[in-house]
Amino acid sequence: MVKSAIVIGAGFGGLALALRLQSGGVQTTIVEARDKPGGRAYHWERDGHMFDAGPTVITDPDCLMRLWRLSGHDMAQDVTLIPVTPFYALDWPDGTRFDYTNDDESLFKSIAALNPADVEGYKKFLDYAAGVFHEGYEKLGTKAFLKVGDMLKAAPALAKYQAWRSVYSIVSSFVQDEHLRQALSFHTLLVGGNPMTCSSIYALIHKLERDGGVWFAKGGTNQLIAGMVTQFERIGGILRLDDPVEAIEVVDGQARAVRTKSGFRAEADAVASNGDIVHTYGLIEGDSRGPKQVKALKKKRYSPSLFVLHFGLEGTCPDIPHHMILFGPRYKGLLDDIYNNGKLAADPALYLHHPTITDPSMAPEGCSTFYALAPVPNMGQADVDWEKDGEAYADTIIDTLEARLIPDIRSRIRTRFHYTPADFKGDLAAHLGSAFSLEPVLTQSAWFRTHNRDDKISNLYFVGAGTHPGAGIPGVVGSAEATARLMLE
């Protein structure tokens, strides 16, 4: 059994893994490059507003609560979760509005307003989602796929649910209304997948939300990260911030130590990385495994990036719910631009996050905090000078919000800034500025994804979006459980 471990990166995956290891008796040190923990769940405080970098949607809260229970603690002593309803308000340019919730009576009424025949179709889709949830999440979400045989064992279930089909294709086989097809398929975008090509197994997200609800951490997602850090340090873990790892020293086929920019060097029985997979293999020193894997990984398909506009407004916005999806005039065409054409769309679809409707403390009294997120091509697909063009694209988003939702937005803005694919690359060492690592298509899932334990360097492990099962809080927390099980064996 591993007695000491170093975890590179204090994102959700790294913290979840470190909590499991430390709770299991492994002396664990996390080394984080940035000045704050969180990874993609970083945060900023500006002009009295609290801005979460994301993610902001918490599903399956029990997968988080279990991290505290491992050592006999209760997450509630560190984190307060608040239910969000509706889960999302969905809005289209033609004026259609659909509130997505797990209240059956309300949901069926909303579906019937779009197309009465789709109520029964939706119920059948829900049965399908429940099946892939059981097979894909409950059975396989925390299982490490180290051998091709592991994939073959899962093949019958994948075949039963036609995993080779896309989420959009499966949804369309159950419901007829185009608005509803988009409402039931957009979720894959939250983990970096194209609804038109992402495996239908990802329909499980719908069941995950229906059963576990959608939640928000009081004070922001940053407070969930802070709670995880508190619990990790409470049980004896060590967190080292603001010190990027520059090398993973490999000797005789084993990871022996990590070395940081400051000159800090730490030896351990095992090294695990929550960092970008291409970047991590590039850190390997003393073994040809690193360059070979970097070359192989660069040939794979990577998820899009994100453009996120953070802004604070004077006054409150009581009519805008916590989560909104503002669909654009195109769906498939926009997805083609993002995933295939490398085109920065002038008509973006937006995910609008309005935390102050749930927790007013995230803004000065009488003010509102928002972010508007637009999926955009990664830097390998679109040649955009984000330093030059970022402000103009922020204005495009403001134009959309002004026309669709907040007519006086420009006169009310008291602070704003944006985060681009170049920031994902610079701050997170994300390959091509991807926001979700490898694109979640069937041929890059499970065994085809970066393994939770390296095939050659047997004490080098991976956790997070680039390994199985993939992106999203439940995904990376599930990867931590799979990886921890390997390390604790």
Side-chain angles (χ1 to χ4, degrees), residues 311-320 368 370 398-414:
F311 59 98
L313 299 183
E314 296 283 358
T316 59
C317 301
D319 297 329
I320 300 177
S368 304
F370 285 91
I398 292 291
D399 290 343
T400 301
L401 295 173
E402 183 178 49
R404 298 270 300 270
L405 203 62
I406 313 173
D408 58 350
I409 186 172
R410 292 187 185 277
S411 65
R412 295 172 60 184
I413 293 176
R414 63 193 309 272

Side-chain angles (χ1 to χ4, degrees), residues 373-447:
L373 176 156
V376 296
N378 66 46
M379 297 172 75
Q381 294 173 310
D383 184 17
V384 178
D385 184 343
W386 286 107
E387 186 173 349
K388 175 184 174 184
D389 298 332
E391 198 65 31
Y393 206 63
D395 285 336
T396 296
I397 291 174
I398 292 291
D399 290 343
T400 301
L401 295 173
E402 183 178 49
R404 298 270 300 270
L405 203 62
I406 313 173
D408 58 350
I409 186 172
R410 292 187 185 277
S411 65
R412 295 172 60 184
I413 293 176
R414 63 193 309 272
T415 187
R416 71 179 247 193
F417 64 100
H418 56 264
Y419 201 79
T420 75
D423 295 312
F424 278 96
K425 183 177 180 180
D427 291 342
L428 298 164
H431 182 58
L432 303 178
S434 169
F436 306 95
S437 192
L438 292 166
E439 186 179 343
V441 292
L442 189 59
T443 53
Q444 294 188 161
S445 299
W447 180 77

Side-chain angles (χ1 to χ4, degrees), residues 27-212:
Q27 182 55 55
T28 305
T29 298
I30 305 175
V31 183
E32 166 59 43
R34 302 177 80 180
D35 62 336
K36 300 171 191 169
R40 282 163 171 75
Y42 194 79
H43 71 280
W44 301 271
E45 296 178 55
R46 298 197 180 181
D47 300 310
H49 295 262
M50 178 64 74
F51 293 104
D52 276 322
T56 60
V57 178
I58 298 171
T59 55
D60 190 14
D62 191 62
C63 77
L64 295 164
M65 294 175 185
R66 289 199 298 269
L67 299 172
W68 272 259
R69 293 201 294 264
L70 290 167
S71 56
H73 292 86
D74 184 353
M75 190 175 86
Q77 69 188 103
D78 299 314
V79 183
T80 300
L81 293 182
I82 306 170
V84 175
T85 187
F87 295 165
Y88 313 93
L90 310 177
D91 184 271
W92 285 266
D94 64 5
T96 300
R97 170 80 177 265
F98 182 83
D99 285 349
Y100 167 49
T101 175
N102 61 353
D103 177 75
D104 282 346
E105 183 178 355
S106 173
L107 187 60
F108 294 161
K109 184 177 179 180
S110 296
I111 293 171
L114 295 176
N115 181 10
D118 282 341
V119 173
E120 288 306 311
Y122 170 76
K123 292 178 181 178
K124 292 176 181 177
F125 168 71
L126 191 58
D127 288 340
Y128 174 89
V132 292
F133 173 81
H134 176 64
E135 295 292 341
Y137 186 74
E138 292 184 318
K139 282 189 176 182
L140 305 178
T142 60
K143 173 183 172 61
F145 283 74
L146 300 183
K147 302 184 295 292
V148 69
D150 297 329
M151 190 75 176
L152 293 175
K153 290 177 184 176
L158 296 175
K160 176 182 177 181
Y161 290 98
Q162 303 178 67
W164 61 86
R165 294 180 62 180
S166 72
V167 171
Y168 183 83
S169 169
I170 284 290
V171 166
S172 297
S173 71
F174 291 108
V175 298
Q176 301 169 9
D177 183 81
E178 178 58 24
H179 300 96
L180 196 56
R181 288 175 172 181
Q182 294 178 23
L184 297 178
S185 65
F186 82 89
H187 295 80
T188 63
L189 289 162
L190 303 179
V191 295
N194 182 347
M196 300 295 173
T197 60
C198 190
S199 168
S200 61
I201 205 82
Y202 284 88
L204 65 85
I205 297 173
H206 187 78
K207 177 66 172 175
L208 190 69
E209 292 179 337
R210 287 272 309 189
D211 284 5

